[in-house]
Amino acid sequence: MILTTTNSIEGFRIVEYKGIITGTSFEMKTKFSFKTEKNKNITTDVIDEAKEHAFQELQTNASNLNANAVVGISVDMEIVNGSHFYVSVTGTAVSVATDK
């Protein structure tokens, strides 16, 4: 599946717009370290995990609409109290064909 933040895909033609879809994820940081670098690494891992879950859900939702691409993707991330991470990924599910 093609995922892009742009509204078009070079070399492909959008043949059908399926609808706006979203993938969300909520992760909580359960570990903490007083060492700044280690704490930064823990936080980065939690954010990456939240983004991955949100993108997986986005792709599943696109597949459920028989789409083969998602265009115009935007990512929104909220951090609450430095330990709760909410990620929302939104885009438009489309069917694309090659321009050839």
Side-chain angles (χ1 to χ4, degrees):
M1 178 160 309
I2 300 170
L3 305 174
T4 182
T5 58
T6 62
N7 293 322
S8 62
I9 305 166
E10 189 173 333
F12 291 87
R13 179 174 42 89
I14 295 174
V15 293
E16 185 178 5
Y17 290 86
K18 303 287 191 168
I20 297 170
I21 56 172
T22 301
T24 59
S25 178
F26 180 78
E27 302 293 329
M28 185 168 42
K29 183 171 82 171
T30 57
K31 297 178 185 176
F32 181 80
S33 174
F34 289 104
K35 295 182 179 179
T36 304
E37 188 64 30
K38 187 173 182 180
N39 196 47
K40 178 183 159 227
N41 291 339
I42 292 168
T43 301
T44 300
D45 289 345
V46 174
I47 291 170
D48 288 344
E49 185 177 336
K51 280 194 321 189
E52 180 63 29
H53 287 154
F55 270 100
Q56 289 298 325
E57 186 177 302
L58 182 83
Q59 288 184 44
T60 298
N61 291 337
S63 292
N64 289 341
L65 294 175
N66 295 319
N68 61 357
V70 181
V71 297
I73 293 174
S74 66
V75 179
D76 182 43
M77 187 179 317
E78 301 291 330
I79 302 170
V80 179
N81 296 330
S83 62
H84 295 82
F85 300 86
Y86 177 77
V87 176
S88 175
V89 183
T90 303
T92 302
V94 297
S95 288
V96 296
T98 59
D99 278 339
K100 298 175 184 175

